[in-house]
Amino acid sequence: APRRPGRLSRPELELLETTTKMFRQWDAQCGGGLRRKAVVGQLHEVTDLLQEPQRETTTRRLFKVAAELAELAGWMSYDVGLQPTAQKYFVLALHAAKEAGDKPLGSYILSSMSRQMIHLGRPEDALELIHLAQYGSRDCASPRTQSMLYAMEARAYANMGQPGKCKRAVRMAEDAFSDAEDWDEPDPDWIRFFSEAELYGENSHSFRDLAYVAGRSPTYASLAEPLMEKAVQLFAEDHEHQRSYALNLIGMATVHLLQREPEQSTRYAAQAMQVAKKVRSERVNTRIRKTVDNAVREYGDLGEVIGLTEQLAAELPETAEAV
């Protein structure tokens, strides 16, 4: 027999929304490897509910939950190295956000896809996705969301070797973020991660990436260092975003390598390893290995670097199990 519309009660719907927030917190704290299957399972439950008759408002909220869960499943897949799987979930998330009529959420999903493109060495594709996100949410995104999009635009320009456009996007990110506290409406939970620490981290990574593209430029590395230092200090006090803390510690290690300061670099890399042991993130592990390899290539005879390679072999597993 057909079910009557509205079979999903308001408390049940609110519980689904709360659970999605909890999954997002777990991902920030523990990495994508630990809860990915639980998120995928929850996503299947929500898509099943969408096949049943519901009230129109309930359907829209369910699509929003589906979009957030699919984005999170994509993000977690990306974090553990399952890149094609991640892309499939991101596309599903975009479709669900469109059905929910949530343009800012759609822009956030596009920004996640952009991050993946930068990771895969495709900054032109990353820039195209960010421009789509900015255009689609130009009249409705909060200052915090706009700031995040500008910061990602800067990352794309940095990886394309366009310092002028990169610096302009960094300034726009800072300007938009300065308006975040004056925004009248509460920010959605999915953008809550974009804190002052995250802004410093993103902008410092843009200057760090520019340094690499410009042939290991000490000028851009020196621009990255004070911003990265602030990000590391703020994330050290933030027990929820442990993966971001690890990534910025690695970023600091790479900046010191660019500045030809291997002793300081090994200190930050060793700290990153300690945090990485608590976070199931192949992305973090891969970046640590790459940083240690670079240190060995340039300063392999240095005692601190030899000690770091021994620590890496003893403490960091070769691959994070993708579960």
Side-chain angles (χ1 to χ4, degrees), residues 265-284:
S265 178
T266 55
R267 191 172 78 248
Y268 283 105
Q271 274 184 269
M273 250 183 263
Q274 293 302 311
V275 180
K277 287 195 293 184
K278 306 177 218 167
V279 179
R280 292 283 287 277
S281 169
E282 184 55 24
R283 186 161 50 112
V284 167

Side-chain angles (χ1 to χ4, degrees), residues 84 100 188 203 224 264:
N203 288 344
Q264 291 95 317

Side-chain angles (χ1 to χ4, degrees), residues 61-307:
R61 283 172 69 178
L62 273 175
F63 268 118
K64 188 176 176 182
V65 171
E68 292 188 34
L69 286 169
E71 188 281 333
L72 192 52
W75 182 255
M76 289 172 147
S77 301
Y78 156 58
D79 196 43
V80 298
L82 302 173
Q83 304 303 340
T85 302
Q87 288 172 337
K88 289 174 186 173
Y89 281 123
F90 286 148
V91 170
L92 176 62
L94 264 183
H95 285 303
K98 186 177 180 182
E99 291 292 336
D102 194 327
K103 290 181 180 179
L105 177 57
S107 75
Y108 170 62
I109 295 160
L110 285 165
S111 78
S112 296
M113 298 170 80
S114 175
R115 286 176 193 273
Q116 186 189 27
M117 290 300 103
I118 288 170
H119 177 78
L120 295 174
R122 294 163 57 183
E124 291 84 1
D125 291 337
L127 185 65
E128 189 175 337
L129 289 164
I130 283 298
H131 284 166
L132 273 174
Q134 289 171 325
Y135 181 78
S137 63
R138 64 196 181 284
D139 55 349
C140 55
S142 72
R144 191 179 301 270
T145 302
Q146 290 175 19
S147 176
M148 182 269 294
L149 294 174
Y150 280 127
M152 289 310 301
E153 185 182 24
R155 288 294 299 275
Y157 279 130
N159 282 268
M160 291 166 67
Q162 297 192 22
K165 290 181 177 179
C166 172
K167 288 177 182 176
R168 178 182 174 276
V170 164
R171 284 196 302 273
M172 297 288 280
E174 292 170 345
D175 290 347
F177 193 85
S178 68
D179 295 332
E181 293 303 319
D182 299 328
W183 183 245
D184 294 336
E185 301 170 34
D187 272 311
D189 185 73
W190 45 259
I191 195 61
R192 196 171 58 84
F193 83 97
F194 198 76
S195 60
E196 187 180 25
E198 193 70 36
L199 176 67
Y200 283 134
E202 284 295 353
N203 288 344
S204 62
H205 274 88
S206 289
F207 289 130
R208 191 278 316 267
D209 293 351
L210 265 180
Y212 278 128
V213 174
R216 305 175 65 83
S217 160
T219 304
Y220 294 129
S222 67
L223 288 174
E225 185 185 0
L227 296 176
M228 195 84 77
E229 184 69 54
K230 287 178 182 175
V232 165
Q233 287 171 357
L234 290 169
F235 277 124
E237 301 163 7
D238 179 352
H239 300 296
E240 182 179 334
H241 297 91
Q242 288 292 290
R243 181 179 51 212
S244 293
Y245 182 33
L247 289 168
N248 280 278
L249 284 167
I250 300 162
M252 202 67 186
T254 61
V255 166
H256 281 297
L257 272 183
L258 284 165
Q259 293 177 314
R260 305 201 171 282
E261 298 166 345
E263 293 88 355
Q264 291 95 317
S265 178
T266 55
R267 191 172 78 248
Y268 283 105
Q271 274 184 269
M273 250 183 263
Q274 293 302 311
V275 180
K277 287 195 293 184
K278 306 177 218 167
V279 179
R280 292 283 287 277
S281 169
E282 184 55 24
R283 186 161 50 112
V284 167
N285 293 353
T286 299
R287 289 193 191 181
I288 290 175
R289 292 190 199 102
K290 186 176 178 181
T291 303
V292 173
D293 286 346
N294 288 340
V296 169
R297 191 158 49 247
E298 295 180 53
Y299 305 100
D301 297 334
L302 200 67
E304 288 91 340
V305 174
I306 293 168

